[in-house]
Amino acid sequence: MTESTTGIVPIDIEVSSQVATHWYNLNADFPEPTPPALNPATDEPLIPEDLAALFPMSLITQEISTERFIEIPQAVREVYSLWRPSPLHRAKRLERAIGTKAKIYYKYEGVSPTGSHKPNSAVPQAYFNKLEGIERLTTETGAGQWGASLAFACALFGLESETWQVRSSYEQKPYRHMQMEVYGSSCHASPSELTEAGRRMRAEFPDTTGSLGMAISEAVEVAMRDPKTNYALGSVLNHVMLHQSVIGQEVLAQLTQAGEEQADVVFGCAGGGSNAAGLMFPLLGQNLREGTTTRFVACEPAACPSITKGEYRYDFGDVAGLTPKLKMYTLGADFVPPAIHASGLRYHGMSPMLSHAVHMGLIGATAIEQKDCFRAGITFARAEGIIPAPESTHAIAGALRYATTDARGGEVIVIGLSGNGVLDLTAYSGVLG
Amino acid sequence: MTESTTGIVPIDIEVSSQVATHWYNLNADFPEPTPPALNPATDEPLIPEDLAALFPMSLITQEISTERFIEIPQAVREVYSLWRPSPLHRAKRLERAIGTKAKIYYKYEGVSPTGSHKPNSAVPQAYFNKLEGIERLTTETGAGQWGASLAFACALFGLESETWQVRSSYEQKPYRHMQMEVYGSSCHASPSELTEAGRRMRAEFPDTTGSLGMAISEAVEVAMRDPKTNYALGSVLNHVMLHQSVIGQEVLAQLTQAGEEQADVVFGCAGGGSNAAGLMFPLLGQNLREGTTTRFVACEPAACPSITKGEYRYDFGDVAGLTPKLKMYTLGADFVPPAIHASGLRYHGMSPMLSHAVHMGLIGATAIEQKDCFRAGITFARAEGIIPAPESTHAIAGALRYATTDARGGEVIVIGLSGNGVLDLTAYSGVLG
């Protein structure tokens, strides 16, 4: 099906040549293939039809593709051009504030309409679903960045959307569901009474603060009921990593423009892995193909340490066992992070592609305490003027630790600033208070 | 004094040539001069020394300047380059949604670190104060955009800052003072117990929800006490209009780049006038110098209609009568907008320069009901993907009314989108609910 046969036509604006024309797929360059997802009934590798109840065929094709570059539709590039390319800033004030001789850059995704990198995948997911005649998307969200971004994307392409948000975040961050509502979407605290899975979890754990695994079960259940409703996931899956590659591709171009030969060390925050992968994979691909020597550190919360404390094994993506089994670092599908954990980055597992890269020794990882993260966030805000999302503070904390201890003079450090923290100010307030 | 003698050195980053090098001053091009501010004790035109207790001499010089272009210091341009030039987007999805044949563009200031146009003046104000040895700035804020922006600017130049926020906004929008606190600033609900003026107002009106006029009195009183403390105003004054001219200068360049000969009608929201003036004055200057025929509509809230319902006369800028007298459209210095009024745009008066332009017939004005504003904001959010600040919805509502009734095919409409509304979602929620 093409754009012109479905009523999704490009709005016909000129898009800057600096907006990527293709997504980059690391599965074309991995020395060994990423272990496939398994059908939970048979434990056999998934076939595309296994996913057809939840995703449009175009996204399933991307999910299993090993093509290196996949073209970005013009209608998606037009929406990207609302905020892309996102800026790569040199953080000279921060360098001075912490007294490092390294050069620190940050790639700032907070300029998107919802304030994070999540629209990079929400926009193509809404687009491809619309193209295949889907009318409604369901999803889950933790802190709310993904839910708001999908609501934004659905508004632009004329789709309905419905989000289940982890209950503790729903209650702590009320602005997020208001944001979804302004875009015309609905949002429920999870576990809810609206689904079989939700009712079961509430009966079993009446006081639960919720988890992404539970919210996924609810959203998947609703999508499975109706052929015109699909499900959208904001992280973890291969096609999400693919869409996020616009971040790293821009970084490569922007570093060249800034006169840097390569990034020496890249720090990204890791929950499900979408921001870290989007930032790192294009640079890792360059290492694999062209012999650059960029190193990578995935920074995860000590309260949800899937890479550094989890096991690398097949596990379900959700609590109810409705999803395929994925080979990943996991804390177990029933893991619930402590309610005090204030950022997103609360998924029990980790993107299979990112997990594979870590398992092969291509990407390193570290876990950071929440207090150290917010302290780093405040240092960053007062030096650079941008209040980082709590998620992003993990990458900042990792980078600052490195820049003030191990970094050599002139070394090029890149921080993935996944979003801004304006809707997370209560979390900062707790630390300042 | 120069940058290098004071410890404010540029951080030495390359600034894009698209970031303005000079501010534009409409006082060079007005057919008749803007009526001067008066010393309230003598009713004589102010002399620079009258302002020296509150402002650094460099800003006072700008306040009374009739030079057409004033150079922007490199250290200010470096901070501007964090988000400038801000995007001018063609709103084709919105055009389609409302069915207009006009071409609608919007100039989006919400990409700044604090989400509005206010840093355009906060940054130079912090800079020039620091340059003259000032250690602390006091200010007032309504909805909080200005207070947050001054806190941001002070953090970057190593100044302390202290803000008095209109009590109704302080209570309705708690994220704003948290934002100031992350930047290291303090914020008090006004009227407060911390000043003579505040205590007097609380004694007289124990249930007052506050006003900008009261908050200004408190901030000015504190600044007058201490020679190392100055006061900063986020709107109204000539030097603020000057700093905001970066907006309109970019619009001129961006429209040319988009192939448009001129803007036909420009809609800006007007409270104290800083966003409208910043957007309109460079284009109005072009009308006056080069004969272009751009028309301008200042859109103000029906709940605070200083231009459309006020008188054009000399009035005080604050309640306590501590400021100079300004010739402006005013509702009277003791005006208090109804607490239900949800946006900023709550000042009793209007920038003397903008008032002068209106009085001379160079700029038109309209007042819009809050409900119509939020409806326009929701239409905009669902079409263009950006949730506008409540202030900005006034400009949108004005533009949509024009675009769907009076506009001719192909006419070029420009909307000033002064900021995003993510910290104002509760106000939207009230309308959606």
Side-chain angles (χ1 to χ4, degrees), chain B residues 100-299:
Chain B
T100 181
K101 283 180 176 144
K103 298 193 250 182
I104 301 178
Y105 290 85
Y106 61 95
K107 177 66 171 169
Y108 183 43
E109 293 291 306
V111 291
S112 85
T114 56
S116 80
H117 69 295
K118 291 292 188 187
N120 296 336
S121 187
V123 172
Q125 289 196 50
Y127 170 82
F128 287 114
N129 274 288
K130 177 77 178 182
L131 204 62
E132 295 191 23
I134 292 298
E135 292 170 1
R136 188 167 68 129
L137 292 178
T138 64
T139 196
E140 78 298 324
T141 196
Q145 300 271 21
W146 169 249
S149 300
L150 192 69
F152 151 77
C154 285
L156 264 56
F157 288 118
L159 285 162
E160 289 178 50
S161 68
E162 192 168 5
T163 301
W164 277 261
Q165 183 172 21
V166 174
R167 182 169 294 276
S168 55
S169 294
Y170 184 93
E171 286 164 4
Q172 279 167 22
K173 304 182 176 183
Y175 280 50
R176 279 286 179 210
H177 63 80
M178 296 176 197
Q179 192 180 20
M180 298 177 218
E181 287 152 13
V182 171
Y183 287 127
S185 173
S186 58
C187 178
H188 320 289
S190 169
S192 74
E193 289 293 330
L194 299 166
T195 66
E196 185 67 34
R199 288 188 292 272
R200 209 164 56 232
M201 292 167 211
R202 285 168 70 101
E204 197 171 343
F205 311 103
D207 299 324
T208 183
T209 52
S211 74
L212 274 176
M214 294 184 201
I216 293 173
S217 294
E218 295 201 85
V220 167
E221 181 187 320
V222 171
M224 282 175 138
R225 277 186 211 150
D226 173 13
K228 290 289 187 192
T229 300
N230 266 352
Y231 165 72
L233 187 62
S235 192
V236 181
L237 297 181
N238 301 355
H239 65 271
V240 182
M241 308 299 128
L242 177 77
H243 301 153
Q244 293 293 351
S245 69
V246 291
I247 303 172
Q249 291 190 81
E250 288 175 7
V251 167
L252 285 172
Q254 289 166 321
L255 282 176
T256 302
Q257 220 174 346
E260 306 293 356
E261 266 175 46
Q262 68 166 27
D264 292 306
V265 199
V266 177
F267 293 85
C269 58
S274 74
N275 184 257
L279 172 65
M280 297 172 179
F281 284 3
L283 284 71
L284 175 53
Q286 186 180 262
N287 277 1
L288 295 169
R289 289 194 316 275
E290 300 171 25
T292 45
T293 56
T294 303
R295 286 167 292 146
F296 305 95
V297 184
C299 303

Side-chain angles (χ1 to χ4, degrees), chain A residues 11-12 79 81-82 89 92-93 96 106 113 152 155-156 175 181-184 381-385 422-423 425, chain B residues 11-12 79 81-82 89 92-93 96 106 113 152 155-156 175 181-184 381-382 384-385 422-423 425-426:
Chain A
I11 58 165
D12 192 24
V79 181
S81 74
L82 281 173
H89 290 299
K92 279 211 177 175
R93 294 179 198 85
R96 194 164 54 191
Y106 60 96
F152 151 77
L156 264 56
Y175 280 52
E181 287 152 13
V182 171
Y183 286 127
R382 293 182 182 175
E384 290 296 315
V422 285
L423 287 186
L425 282 160
Chain B
I11 58 165
D12 191 25
V79 181
S81 75
L82 281 173
H89 290 298
K92 281 213 176 176
R93 294 177 198 87
R96 195 164 53 189
Y106 61 95
F152 151 77
L156 264 56
Y175 280 50
E181 287 152 13
V182 171
Y183 287 127
R382 293 182 183 175
E384 290 296 316
V422 287
L423 287 187
L425 282 160
T426 48

Side-chain angles (χ1 to χ4, degrees), chain A residues 29-41:
Chain A
D29 289 317
F30 263 134
E32 294 166 27
T34 303
L38 302 182
N39 181 320

Side-chain angles (χ1 to χ4, degrees), chain A residues 240-399:
Chain A
V240 182
M241 308 301 127
L242 177 77
H243 302 153
Q244 293 292 352
S245 68
V246 291
I247 303 172
Q249 290 189 80
E250 288 175 7
V251 167
L252 285 172
Q254 289 165 322
L255 283 175
T256 302
Q257 219 172 347
E260 306 294 357
E261 267 177 47
Q262 66 166 29
D264 291 307
V265 199
V266 177
F267 294 85
C269 58
S274 75
N275 185 257
L279 173 65
M280 295 171 181
F281 285 3
L283 285 70
L284 175 53
Q286 187 180 263
N287 277 1
L288 294 169
R289 289 193 318 275
E290 300 171 23
T292 46
T293 56
T294 303
R295 287 166 292 146
F296 305 95
V297 185
C299 302
E300 61 180 11
C304 188
S306 55
I307 305 179
T308 53
K309 294 277 174 62
E311 294 175 63
Y312 186 52
R313 64 174 168 86
Y314 274 101
D315 194 8
F316 284 103
D318 72 324
V319 172
L322 300 177
T323 70
K325 287 189 190 166
L326 304 171
K327 182 85 180 269
M328 60 185 178
Y329 286 95
T330 176
L331 296 160
D334 56 355
F335 175 80
V336 177
I340 194 176
H341 175 58
S343 79
L345 314 182
R346 51 177 59 245
Y347 189 58
H348 66 275
M350 180 57 61
S351 149
M353 286 179 74
L354 187 68
S355 293
H356 183 53
V358 170
H359 189 67
M360 293 187 73
L362 301 171
I363 289 179
T366 184
I368 305 179
E369 295 290 340
Q370 176 159 293
K371 202 149 195 177
D372 295 334
C373 293
F374 279 111
R375 276 200 201 112
I378 290 167
T379 300
F380 187 92
R382 293 182 182 175
E384 290 296 315
I386 291 165
I387 300 178
E391 292 80 354
S392 315
T393 63
H394 292 75
I396 296 169

